[in-house]
Amino acid sequence: MSIWKKDISLEILNQQSANTLVEHVGIEITEVGDDYIKGTMPVDHRTHQPMGILHGGASVVLAETLGSIAGNCAVSDKRACVGLDINANHISKVQSGHVTGIAKALHIGRATQVWEIKLYSDSGKLTCVSRLTLAVIDIA
């Protein structure tokens, strides 16, 4: 059973990121399941830190992007989700290729949501684990 309260498609989700940080660093939503959203981000000159490995902040950008998109798809049209808190544990380094993130809800409540986002290298190695708390606000 799907947790989504909006009609969503990969095309719509990716179009919403035009002219944003998400587009600038090359994040792409690649899959939507009944209870998760998956996306990728290149590991290249845009996302490296000076030592030539994936910047921890770039990992957090991917995690918050996936969790925020998922959160906003899990509320009605009269509500929205905004970031309240995020943390990340960086597990292993990545030098090139892509990282793929999967956002899954831990809690979807009336006032808050909590999402776990795990990032993996192209070889399937866990690179980062993040927890994102979203505030659910009225927009109508």
Side-chain angles (χ1 to χ4, degrees), residues 51-74:
M51 292 190 318
I53 59 176
L54 180 62
H55 193 290
S59 294
V60 173
V61 168
L62 177 58
E64 184 154 2
T65 298
L66 295 174
S68 292
I69 289 171
N72 277 290
C73 290

Side-chain angles (χ1 to χ4, degrees), residues 13-27:
L13 295 177
N14 285 306
Q15 285 176 351
Q16 291 173 344
S17 297
N19 301 311
T20 68
L21 171 66
V22 175
E23 180 182 56
H24 177 72
V25 297
I27 293 172

Side-chain angles (χ1 to χ4, degrees), residues 1-139:
M1 178 176 216
S2 177
I3 63 172
W4 312 125
K5 296 193 176 181
K6 296 179 179 162
D7 289 330
I8 54 176
S9 71
L10 295 178
E11 183 180 24
I12 291 169
L13 295 177
N14 285 306
Q15 285 176 351
Q16 291 173 344
S17 297
N19 301 311
T20 68
L21 171 66
V22 175
E23 180 182 56
H24 177 72
V25 297
I27 293 172
E28 180 183 356
I29 307 305
T30 58
E31 187 176 333
V32 177
D34 284 344
D35 66 347
Y36 69 91
I37 288 184
K38 183 186 281 190
T40 63
M41 179 178 68
V43 180
D44 61 19
H45 67 280
R46 296 170 292 177
T47 57
H48 277 162
Q49 48 104 309
M51 292 190 318
I53 59 176
L54 180 62
H55 193 290
S59 294
V60 173
V61 168
L62 177 58
E64 184 154 2
T65 298
L66 295 174
S68 292
I69 289 171
N72 277 290
C73 290
V75 295
S76 70
D77 287 333
K78 295 181 179 185
R79 308 203 81 201
C81 293
V82 294
L84 192 60
D85 183 64
I86 189 164
N87 70 42
N89 295 103
H90 306 291
I91 309 297
S92 61
K93 69 179 180 176
V94 183
Q95 294 178 291
S96 61
H98 290 81
V99 284
T100 298
I102 302 170
K104 287 191 145 198
L106 299 175
H107 166 73
I108 298 177
R110 186 185 58 75
T112 62
Q113 296 182 4
V114 180
W115 292 83
E116 178 180 68
I117 304 94
K118 292 183 178 178
L119 306 186
Y120 299 90
S121 67
D122 285 337
S123 66
K125 188 172 184 180
L126 182 66
T127 64
C128 180
V129 176
S130 182
R131 181 174 294 144
L132 172 66
T133 303
L134 299 171
V136 181
I137 61 172
D138 292 325
I139 58 172

